[in-house]
Amino acid sequence: MPKLWNETIETHRDAVRGAVLDAAAHLVAGQGLSGVTMSAIAQSAGIGRATLYKYFPDVESILVAWHERQIESHLAELTRVKERTEGVWEQLEAVLHAYAFLSRSGHEHGDAAVVRLHQGGHTGHARESLQAFLAELVRQGAAAGAFRADVAPEELAAFCLHAVGAAAGLSSHEAVLRLVNVTLDALRPTQPSDAGIEGTHSLGES
């Protein structure tokens, strides 16, 4: 089969897939998950149900694909935020602020079930890439002495994602800022005095 023909078919498939995900997002924003059915998605995307089933077996698979696309979009935006910011602490601060407001924006345009989907246990390649992106930022900061080094960067990155993801349920801009600041405080290097105080308590309790 000619290369141009293959590329044309692939472009068509990408276009149909994108239209399906856009249709699902539109339905969720307007009606919540209760309004998302295979028939409604097919109609909104302008394709037949038979064609839709060639791409996705059910609604859940469409929503998961939409979720993955959202995370990929977030990662691209966070990368741009990092690249235009200087300093390891400032970079992570800017990235976490951006992620918090992206999470909150997504919550405002969906319902509680959509929020649970975004916070669900399934972890695709996009979310793994997002966590790896944050882990590298933390690793660089720890090497520069800006972040604590007593916890693995991957663990701190996972902590950041879960902590800042709670911004989805917050009602105000100020609350989001407070949440990010609390998360960042947890990444500060452990002070020797803190260790001494903990040791004193341990001795007193023994």
Side-chain angles (χ1 to χ4, degrees):
M1 188 176 293
K3 180 180 178 181
L4 181 60
W5 180 253
N6 280 334
E7 291 176 348
T8 301
I9 292 176
E10 192 62 32
T11 299
H12 173 72
R13 288 173 177 168
D14 289 343
V16 172
R17 181 181 174 86
V20 169
L21 300 187
D22 288 342
H26 175 74
L27 290 169
V28 170
Q31 306 174 37
L33 286 182
S34 60
V36 183
T37 65
M38 295 297 275
S39 295
I41 291 173
Q43 182 177 2
S44 181
I47 61 175
R49 286 187 62 187
T51 300
L52 178 59
Y53 277 105
K54 290 180 181 178
Y55 287 83
F56 297 97
D58 50 36
V59 170
E60 182 179 359
S61 64
I62 295 174
L63 293 176
V64 169
W66 170 50
H67 178 214
E68 290 287 289
R69 189 177 71 168
Q70 287 291 96
I71 296 177
E72 290 172 355
S73 174
H74 289 174
L75 179 56
E77 174 60 25
L78 297 179
T79 299
R80 288 191 289 269
V81 168
K82 182 226 174 194
E83 290 175 347
R84 62 174 179 255
T85 308
E86 295 185 3
V88 288
W89 179 275
E90 291 78 7
Q91 284 179 340
L92 185 61
E93 182 178 30
V95 163
L96 291 185
H97 274 116
Y99 183 70
F101 284 107
L102 285 170
S103 297
R104 184 165 176 256
S105 175
H107 172 76
E108 291 173 344
H109 293 89
D111 61 15
V114 177
V115 174
R116 288 196 298 273
L117 173 67
H118 281 261
Q119 297 174 342
H122 69 276
T123 302
H125 176 71
R127 190 168 184 84
E128 292 174 358
S129 297
L130 178 57
Q131 185 165 320
F133 170 76
L134 285 179
E136 182 56 29
L137 274 177
V138 173
R139 184 177 292 105
Q140 293 174 7
F147 305 134
R148 61 191 305 162
D150 60 330
V151 179
E154 292 77 13
E155 295 176 13
L156 289 176
F159 161 74
C160 288
L161 279 179
H162 286 290
V164 178
L170 298 180
S171 59
S172 71
H173 180 96
E174 292 74 16
V176 174
L177 294 179
R178 287 194 294 271
L179 175 65
V180 173
N181 288 336
V182 168
T183 304
L184 284 167
D185 282 342
L187 271 65
R188 295 185 184 277
T190 303
Q191 299 297 322
S193 58
D194 295 338
I197 292 173
E198 292 175 0
T200 300
H201 285 317
S202 297
L203 288 173
E205 294 169 356
S206 61

